[in-house]
Amino acid sequence: MSSPPLALQLADLLLRPAHRSRRTPGHAFDRLVADVGQAPGDEDFVADFRSLLGHWARDENLTPVGWMSAQGHVRRHLTNRARVRRLIAERPAIAEEPIDRPVFVVGLPRTATTLTHGVLSLSEEHRCPRLWELLTPDLDGTPEQRRKAIRAARMMVGGINLFAPRYRDIHPMTAEGPDECTFALPHTIMPLSQARIPEYQAALRERDFVPDYAYLKQIYQVLQYGRPRRRWVLKSPLHTGNLDALLRVFPDATIVWTHRDPAAVVASFCSLIEAGMAITLRPLDLPGLGATWLELLSDSVRRGLAARAAVPRESLVDVPYSWLGSNPAAGAPKLYAAVGARWTDDDAARLAAVAARPKGTRPHTYDLARYGLTNADVDAAFADYNALRAEVDRA
């Protein structure tokens, strides 16, 4: 395994004194709460993050940058929660904002969910949250407030690209581009992409995600308040395992489920996780990474398959990888028709920019064997899903 980039080594060196606070995560959390504040009645929300940070701190391989990232994750969610609750208390009409007929792009990661979301974002009739909005959800403020939020998002993206140069080749991000609900949902499996947190992983299996999705709706109500109302187009592969909770909160949602061969998905996603986790953990256990994410992804699909049986057929759109992965010009109009949207000449003119790889990025190569996995392992884990995917491909 190659040495970390020099910038990452220097950052770890500079943050080494602060790394000692990992031994007393309760004190570190108390300082975060003191800085952020806590709204009355939000004790359970805060307690969940206290528990998460405590479990996160137990990974002995967590680097100084990894510990800083863990605290930043918790701080961001506590800060946003306090702001959203304050705004709704000051302006109760925010909670009455209708989030009508939203589109949610779901499916396994690395199945062109990002491209599908990007294509749907082309329409002037659609509203896709930008990364900077998801990181700092707020009302439409002053130009300086907007610039500050965008700068913070650019710093986050820049840090990832600096510390993990390969990440941009695999999953390019921009502060002002459409991004996924993962950044706004308080609890998902994504902390497991930064550390080994078995207690949190176990807690997520039993978690009731309905309150999390109710809070997600509040975030989009905040982002919609005082602005033109358009149809929300939202996305996260992590919704797949929580479709039941999502549909409880957004009962009129259209679900766009993207599909691809799970063997390619797991290999590609493990490569992405490796690139990101190299920032926060050292050394990496690649077979352990493979086993963990094979379990997490296959469990997500099993839960999604169970929930999709209750989705009205007219509200479910299956999108094979070939629709956009092979020929976006032919697939994009079909996608728009399937979700009941208008595909225009203006949309078509902007399609190439969305479908193209960013300049300067290299092709992404990946191999299941690097993570101790075989095609047979993946086929066994995704047997039921493969049967569905075969039906989708034939349709």
Side-chain angles (χ1 to χ4, degrees), residues 30-74:
D30 288 339
R31 287 195 295 271
L32 290 177
V33 173
D35 288 345
V36 172
Q38 177 181 340
D42 227 11
E43 291 80 10
D44 288 346
F45 186 92
V46 173
D48 283 346
F49 276 96
R50 177 184 291 277
S51 177
L52 170 58
L53 190 65
H55 294 319
W56 206 323
R58 292 179 185 171
D59 191 333
E60 292 296 329
N61 291 348
L62 200 63
T63 65
V65 168
W67 177 233
M68 179 190 71
S69 178
Q71 294 176 90
H73 175 93
V74 170

Side-chain angles (χ1 to χ4, degrees), residues 284-329:
L284 289 181
D285 172 13
L286 295 184
L289 184 159
T292 294
W293 285 97
L294 178 64
E295 177 185 353
L296 288 170
L297 294 177
S298 59
D299 181 64
S300 173
V301 164
R302 278 193 295 271
R303 293 161 63 115
L305 290 175
R308 80 177 255 144
V311 180
R313 190 66 194 91
E314 65 274 12
S315 300
L316 180 62
V317 179
D318 287 308
V319 179
Y321 191 74
S322 59
W323 271 26
L324 297 176
S326 302
N327 188 357

Side-chain angles (χ1 to χ4, degrees), residues 117 121 128-134 173-180:
H117 191 218
S121 76
C128 297
R130 307 293 156 170
L131 176 60
W132 69 269
E133 294 179 301
L134 292 164
M173 301 166 61
T174 62
E176 292 157 282
D179 222 302
E180 57 189 61

Side-chain angles (χ1 to χ4, degrees), residues 21 95 98 155 202 237 260 336 340 348 385:
S21 67
M155 286 182 62
R260 188 185 182 191
Y336 269 59
Y385 172 69

Side-chain angles (χ1 to χ4, degrees), residues 374-381:
T374 66
N375 285 337
D377 295 329
V378 178
D379 287 344

Side-chain angles (χ1 to χ4, degrees), residues 104-345:
F104 282 88
V105 179
V106 308
L108 284 166
R110 316 303 297 167
T111 57
T113 56
T114 299
L115 178 56
T116 302
H117 191 218
V119 169
L120 288 169
S121 76
L122 292 171
S123 174
E124 297 293 341
E125 299 175 0
H126 292 164
R127 171 77 158 93
C128 297
R130 307 293 156 170
L131 176 60
W132 69 269
E133 294 179 301
L134 292 164
L135 294 174
T136 315
D138 205 342
L139 300 181
D140 194 11
T142 66
E144 178 53 33
Q145 287 173 318
R146 180 190 179 99
R147 284 193 292 270
K148 182 179 179 181
I150 292 174
R151 280 197 302 269
R154 286 175 176 169
M155 286 182 62
M156 189 199 80
V157 173
I160 293 172
N161 293 338
L162 180 65
F163 292 156
R166 186 69 172 133
Y167 199 92
R168 182 171 179 266
D169 297 330
I170 306 172
H171 184 63
M173 301 166 61
T174 62
E176 292 157 282
D179 222 302
E180 57 189 61
C181 306
T182 305
F183 292 102
L185 272 169
H187 293 284
T188 72
I189 59 177
M190 286 318 292
L192 305 177
S193 70
Q194 297 189 46
R196 299 164 301 179
I197 321 176
E199 301 91 345
Y200 188 61
Q201 184 174 342
L204 289 177
R205 293 193 196 101
E206 308 301 323
R207 185 173 182 83
D208 175 9
F209 284 94
V210 171
D212 291 335
Y213 279 87
Y215 171 54
L216 181 68
K217 181 178 179 180
Q218 289 180 332
I219 287 177
Y220 293 129
Q221 288 173 318
V222 166
L223 292 176
Q224 179 171 282
Y225 183 76
R227 295 156 171 151
R229 290 177 181 171
R230 291 176 287 162
R231 189 182 188 188
W232 282 95
V233 176
L234 308 166
K235 168 246 179 178
S236 175
L238 305 189
H239 291 319
T240 309
N242 299 329
L243 284 182
D244 51 351
L246 186 157
L247 291 167
R248 285 272 301 277
V249 177
F250 302 95
D252 61 347
T254 294
I255 304 299
V256 174
W257 189 321
T258 57
H259 299 278
R260 188 185 182 191
D261 176 9
V265 164
V266 173
S268 178
F269 193 64
C270 284
S271 176
L272 175 65
I273 295 296
E274 178 188 354
M277 193 175 272
I279 300 174
T280 59
L281 290 187
R282 199 171 305 120
L284 289 181
D285 172 13
L286 295 184
L289 184 159
T292 294
W293 285 97
L294 178 64
E295 177 185 353
L296 288 170
L297 294 177
S298 59
D299 181 64
S300 173
V301 164
R302 278 193 295 271
R303 293 161 63 115
L305 290 175
R308 80 177 255 144
V311 180
R313 190 66 194 91
E314 65 274 12
S315 300
L316 180 62
V317 179
D318 287 308
V319 179
Y321 191 74
S322 59
W323 271 26
L324 297 176
S326 302
N327 188 357
K334 290 195 294 185
L335 174 63
Y336 269 59
V339 301
R342 295 187 309 119
W343 178 251
T344 68
D345 291 342

